[in-house]
Amino acid sequence: MSRLSIGIVGLPNVGKSTLFQALTAVAVPAENYPFCTIDPNVGIVEVPDQRLHRLGDLAPRERRVPTVIEFLDIAGLVEGASRGEGLGNRFLSHVRDVDAIVHVVRFFEDPSVARADDQLEEEADPLRDREIVETELALADLETVEHALDKADRKARSGDRQAQALETVLRRVRGRLEVGQPARRESVDGQETRLLRSLSLLTMKPVLYVANLAEDQLAEEKRITGAFREMVRRDDPEAETIEIAARLEADLLELEPEERAEFLEGLDLAENGLARFIQAGYRLLGLHTFFTIGEEEVRAWTVRIGAKAPEAAGRVHTDFERGFIRAETIHFADFERMGSMREAREQGLVRSEGKDYVVQDGDILFFRAAG
Ligand code: GDP
């Protein structure tokens, strides 16, 4: 059973740990996940989803288990990381392991909090900060790609078809990296994705930029982040940007619930920024949710958008993926409308889906697998 994980990166002193602290304050206690290592840099966070509660009302079970995503606070990115400087190598290997990246960029101004680069002005310079980080990631990828190209090249010459295909796509990806673009800008088909997977290219991973604002910038957030958003749209159209005031979120979590509500009202902020961030991250990173109803629990699970039924089965249990036969499937909305599985079956709303079925957000799945 594997969780999907999101790594939080960015230059020093941009607010990564502050965001991470806010996330871990709403994190699931680690003892609920006995199989996971307790690491202070890892936070397991529930994805808020009303449908799970509705499902638990209609199909009462002992437990309702939300789906979780894992956030990692990955420190150590400095200019030169791709050359193995500072914590460079360790940093890069952590980034390789995550499924997606949250890139925190500093918008708040505070002379008492140093910027990463002493030569920089005191003013926040999010465009430049972003570029420093992206450049390091792209340089690291370029090295990986050159290395892989060498190997593929040799094999391709001896007539290895797979190596030939890999070589072709690597050349295209290299072309992107050489002009400073992330690898994810190169469109690749399913086979190419599989060929590239073992390289774990950093700039192939989906990215969500977090514009970390000071509390008093929130009222004008769209104006303040306008130029940044524009740059992202131009240079990296696959990526998304979300505004958040990390320190405010962290401070809010220290308040009692009533105090918090009052405070939010005063700020004219109805929404919980953190929940919005978790949900946006989840969605923008190409993840969605399916449900299972077992004997003891109703449960939400995460898969990538586009994943087929066996991959979803593999989230629940690796044996289910290997022995996958079919999945009895009904959509949450149909189930809710019918009110029970028996009614849904009688109405013919429970379908039998095979291994090519693309799982939809909100599907309830019952896996049949060969032991
Ligand atoms: P990291 O190095 O990216 O993990 O940055 P930290 O989260 O440790 O933050 C660095 C410093 O900036 C800390 O002293 C934070 O309290 C401060 N900080 C974070 N967010 C804000 C903010 O929105 N406004 C201000 N003034 N300071 C902040």
Side-chain angles (χ1 to χ4, degrees), residues 12-175:
N13 279 352
V14 295
K16 297 183 297 298
S17 302
T18 308
L19 177 64
F20 183 75
Q21 270 163 27
L23 285 168
T24 47
V26 296
V28 185
E31 58 264 28
N32 288 4
Y33 293 87
F35 48 83
C36 76
T37 49
I38 298 177
D39 179 332
N41 298 319
V42 177
I44 297 164
V45 176
E46 293 180 3
V47 180
D49 193 328
Q50 285 306 318
R51 295 173 299 183
L52 179 68
H53 299 292
R54 189 73 189 117
L55 204 58
D57 291 342
L58 293 171
R61 297 291 186 275
E62 211 168 297
R63 289 189 303 273
R64 300 173 183 189
V65 187
T67 189
V68 292
I69 31 179
E70 196 176 276
F71 285 92
L72 277 80
D73 186 4
I74 309 182
L77 190 133
V78 290
E79 207 163 1
S82 62
R83 299 191 300 273
E85 285 177 15
L87 295 170
N89 281 328
R90 210 167 75 210
F91 166 81
L92 293 171
S93 77
H94 284 307
V95 184
R96 259 182 246 296
D97 286 344
V98 299
D99 298 286
I101 293 174
V102 160
H103 179 168
V104 182
V105 181
R106 173 169 165 175
F107 279 77
F108 69 87
E109 313 259 358
D110 187 342
S112 69
V113 180
R115 310 248 349 267
D117 184 336
D118 288 335
Q119 282 138 38
L120 296 178
E121 299 295 317
E122 263 167 25
E123 271 164 47
D125 188 352
L127 275 67
R128 177 155 190 270
D129 288 1
R130 169 187 169 270
E131 203 164 304
I132 292 173
V133 173
E134 289 299 322
T135 304
E136 291 304 326
L137 299 180
L139 285 173
D141 276 353
L142 198 54
E143 198 180 311
T144 309
V145 166
E146 294 284 8
H147 199 69
L149 252 177
D150 269 356
K151 272 200 344 214
D153 211 21
R154 257 175 284 141
K155 273 189 167 166
R157 258 181 274 147
S158 66
D160 183 325
R161 283 281 181 77
Q162 195 153 318
Q164 286 164 359
L166 179 60
E167 191 189 353
T168 311
V169 66
L170 282 174
R171 283 187 195 286
R172 278 165 33 221
V173 169
R174 183 173 66 178

Side-chain angles (χ1 to χ4, degrees), residues 284-295:
L284 298 171
L285 300 175
L287 306 175
H288 64 181
T289 300
F290 72 92
F291 301 97
T292 55
I293 304 176
E295 279 178 19

